[in-house]
Amino acid sequence: MKIKSILLAAASVAALASSAIAEGHGKLKVGMITTLSGGGAGLGIDVRDGFMLAIKESGNDNVEVVIEDDQQKPDIAVQLADKMIQSEKVDVMTGIIWSNLAMAVVPSAVAQGKFYLSPNAGPSALAGKACNPNYFNIAWQNDNLHEAAGAYATEAGLKNSFIMAPNYPAGQDALNGYKRFYKGELAGEVFTKLGQTDYAAEIAQIRASGADSVYFFLPGGMGISFMKQYAGSGVDIPLIGPAFSFDQGILQAVGDAALGVKNTSQWGKDLDNETNVAFVKTFQAEYGRLPSLYASQGFDTANLLLSAMGKADVKDADAFRAALKEADFKSTRGNFSFGNNHHPIQDIYVREVIKEGDVFTNKIIGTALKDHADAFATECDM
């Protein structure tokens, strides 16, 4: 699947972009590789749609975006990246959802002098020793939301968590992040297969574990399958998760089983700042659905890019890199800045799953971590 378009001016919420952004400093070509088919398609579609909405709102006709579907396969992602760099001659790359795909693509891309702006995947290796001046993560370092969940579980007085995640880089980062801030005991620790859909064995382990809580990270269709099976199992041990397991697209598929579950996120549709209020409204008008965490990250990624275009030409790599580092854009999250390793410093919230009319969604109920940076920044020598 390939979509190639030069985006022309659109009159919408142009107030979100400064006049400098609208003027820009020359043409820029973006290569977006993301997941648009299979079980993880919803995540990539939301990142794409949020990104494209920001470009449209900016009225900037100097941005060309080439979009490809990685099918959630590392070998496909590598092939697409090679084509974008060598044939399409893109200046900037973005879009990857999954950390194993990011590890297959990002190091080579930045080594070839391309800028990579991550709207989602944040593997620990790229935040620490393998950090790179041309790599910026606009979402989070993988551990962050899990660290916040561990902090919340500790504050809530939970003392015996059963924890579970898929066996791939983001899953490993997830459980390490939870344990970093959780002060209780572990009733069990399980790594599942990536893409697994049958959780009967894991639920049996949970039932027999004596746990007082279950923390799980199962993004996309994995989380939907687990939640439905867990709800039908009769096991009533409280669940906690990161936003990835309780995000907007997932909630509609899970339904009542998710009500009341606490989850952690750096974003919520009810964050009360001017940019976010406008984003939620315009995204819903444009696409006919509420935005997700992933959509907000795509939107912020595009606005970061546009802000840098307003200050420097991408052909002047040093100036463009400095403009990205400034993060001089209005984020849907409110305050946003980069640490030394080009990963966010930001607040992370606790949300509760609620129902608004017929729609399942999340409501922010507290702050788990304030101005939080990742644990690997000290390993980065930038």
Side-chain angles (χ1 to χ4, degrees):
M1 173 180 178
K2 178 177 179 182
I3 304 169
K4 181 177 180 181
S5 56
I6 298 179
L7 300 170
L8 302 177
S12 57
V13 194
L16 292 176
S18 68
S19 58
I21 291 174
E23 292 171 5
H25 283 79
K27 301 282 186 180
L28 185 145
K29 193 171 187 178
V30 179
M32 177 181 286
I33 300 171
T34 196
T35 304
L36 301 173
S37 61
L43 286 60
I45 289 169
D46 278 359
V47 161
R48 178 198 66 191
D49 289 353
F51 187 96
M52 300 303 267
L53 177 63
I55 300 292
K56 179 179 179 181
E57 288 185 347
S58 74
N60 191 323
D61 62 357
N62 285 328
V63 183
E64 180 180 354
V65 185
V66 180
I67 304 175
E68 296 274 12
D69 178 14
D70 58 37
Q71 304 171 47
Q72 204 176 329
K73 298 176 181 178
D75 58 334
I76 298 295
V78 169
Q79 292 171 22
L80 292 172
D82 288 344
K83 183 173 72 170
M84 285 187 173
I85 293 171
Q86 295 164 16
S87 300
E88 297 285 359
K89 306 296 184 185
V90 300
D91 302 298
V92 175
M93 297 182 69
T94 190
I96 290 177
I97 300 297
W98 307 91
S99 289
N100 54 333
L101 274 66
M103 291 305 300
V105 168
V106 172
S108 174
V110 296
Q112 294 178 71
K114 302 302 177 183
F115 289 97
Y116 192 91
L117 309 184
S118 178
N120 196 67
S124 54
L126 298 181
K129 294 177 181 178
C131 66
N132 187 281
N134 285 353
Y135 173 74
F136 290 80
N137 188 296
I138 297 83
W140 22 256
Q141 190 277 316
N142 281 349
D143 299 33
N144 289 167
L145 304 194
H146 312 288
E147 291 169 338
Y152 166 74
T154 298
E155 186 177 345
L158 300 173
K159 301 184 183 302
N160 197 28
S161 287
F162 187 102
I163 61 176
M164 180 171 67
N167 193 14
Y168 79 120
Q172 295 153 14
D173 288 346
L175 298 193
N176 286 334
Y178 185 81
K179 290 185 289 185
R180 189 173 293 121
F181 279 75
Y182 171 64
K183 305 305 181 185
E185 302 293 326
L186 292 181
E189 181 174 1
V190 170
F191 285 102
T192 70
K193 292 181 179 179
L194 185 62
Q196 183 172 321
T197 57
D198 183 353
Y199 295 95
E202 288 80 7
I203 291 172
Q205 287 181 265
I206 292 169
R207 187 192 301 273
S209 69
D212 65 1
S213 53
V214 176
Y215 182 73
F216 75 98
F217 164 59
L218 296 167
M222 292 180 287
I224 295 170
S225 296
F226 172 74
M227 281 295 297
K228 288 184 172 180
Q229 292 166 41
Y230 191 81
S233 72
V235 179
D236 60 358
I237 301 170
L239 296 172
I240 307 170
F244 324 120
S245 299
F246 297 94
D247 209 54
Q248 201 59 51
I250 289 176
L251 288 178
Q252 311 320 305
V254 173
D256 288 335
L259 284 173
V261 174
K262 307 300 191 298
N263 62 93
T264 49
S265 179
Q266 89 286 18
W267 176 84
K269 71 177 181 62
D270 52 341
L271 276 178
D272 190 15
N273 65 70
E274 182 180 359
T275 300
N276 195 51
V277 170
F279 163 67
V280 172
K281 181 178 179 180
T282 55
F283 187 95
Q284 194 165 14
E286 185 79 9
Y287 301 113
R289 67 185 189 275
L290 286 172
S292 69
L293 171 82
Y294 306 101
S296 75
Q297 292 164 188
F299 188 81
D300 279 357
T301 299
N303 277 321
L304 170 68
L305 180 65
L306 290 162
S307 73
M309 285 183 70
K311 295 186 175 185
D313 192 311
V314 71
K315 305 304 181 188
D316 184 346
D318 289 340
F320 196 78
R321 187 182 303 112
L324 288 170
K325 174 72 173 177
E326 286 181 36
D328 186 18
F329 73 103
K330 293 182 179 179
S331 170
T332 57
R333 285 162 262 182
N335 293 336
F336 181 99
S337 62
F338 286 119
N340 68 290
N341 62 348
H342 297 172
H343 283 65
I345 298 173
Q346 60 192 339
D347 295 345
I348 305 177
Y349 306 96
V350 180
R351 310 187 304 181
E352 181 177 353
V353 180
I354 62 170
K355 196 171 185 180
E356 293 179 345
D358 295 329
V359 178
F360 295 91
T361 189
N362 286 285
K363 177 182 180 180
I364 292 174
I365 61 171
T367 303
L369 295 172
K370 186 78 174 173
D371 293 328
H372 186 58
D374 66 270
F376 302 95
T378 56
E379 298 177 13
C380 173
D381 60 5
M382 288 195 298

